[in-house]
Amino acid sequence: MRVVIQRVTASRVAIGGETVGQIGRGLNLLVAIAATDTEAELQWMARKCLDLRLFPDPAAANPRFDLSVTEIGGELLVISQFTLYGDGRKGRRPSFDRSAAPDRAEALYDRFVELLRASGLRVETGRFGAMMQVQIDNDGPVTLILDS
């Protein structure tokens, strides 16, 4: 599993000009499911995304990465993006051999979203397999890539 985590002041996803998901302060998560992923990877990644300290504590003398999205009561926008496993080392067209097959990937993606929603935070999503336009107001900018 691979997730690109971006700390945002706001983020939205649209399909055909219609907004289908939108958040304020929180995290934008671009999510790719690998062919080898299991429930264990989903649980580890969900916990990591919720607990990773990426937000400053305004009360701290030198605010840095002090608080998690859970601690600030932030929001999550979760977008499926199998292209994160694209391998462009050979030829002119990337290979996506490491990505899970669409049916399996969608089930695991849905389960990942379910695990995030169990936190009680507001979780918005795009639409699996759709062509989407994502607007990301990256805060910092802060962007991390996590692999399970």
Side-chain angles (χ1 to χ4, degrees), residues 118-138:
S119 71
L121 294 179
R122 181 169 170 249
V123 178
E124 294 281 315
T125 66
R127 193 169 300 140
F128 190 91
M131 289 296 294
M132 298 174 273
Q133 297 75 48
V134 183
Q135 181 180 351
I136 301 167
D137 295 333
N138 199 317

Side-chain angles (χ1 to χ4, degrees), residues 65-92:
F65 296 111
D66 301 314
L67 302 172
S68 69
V69 69
T70 304
E71 292 168 316
I72 68 157
E75 301 173 329
L76 301 163
L77 179 59
V78 186
I79 308 293
S80 64
Q81 189 170 348
F82 78 96
T83 60
L84 292 176
Y85 277 120
D87 183 353
R89 292 178 291 178
K90 293 183 181 177
R92 296 176 33 219

Side-chain angles (χ1 to χ4, degrees), residues 1 16-17 23-24 26 33 40 64 66 75 77 99 102 109 114 136 143:
M1 183 170 197
I23 64 167
I33 305 295
R64 295 188 183 167
D66 301 314
E75 301 173 329
L77 179 59
S99 296
Y109 168 81
E114 181 182 304
I136 301 167
T143 302

Side-chain angles (χ1 to χ4, degrees), residues 35-50:
T36 57
D37 283 341
T38 66
E39 177 76 14
E41 282 82 20
L42 300 176
Q43 289 185 14
W44 181 88
M45 189 65 78
R47 189 80 267 140
K48 184 58 82 171
C49 290
L50 293 168

Side-chain angles (χ1 to χ4, degrees), residues 102-130:
D103 289 348
R104 185 165 185 279
E106 184 173 12
L108 292 174
Y109 168 81
D110 289 343
R111 174 66 178 139
F112 179 65
V113 170
E114 181 182 304
L115 290 167
L116 294 171
R117 286 188 170 138
S119 71
L121 294 179
R122 181 169 170 249
V123 178
E124 294 281 315
T125 66
R127 193 169 300 140
F128 190 91

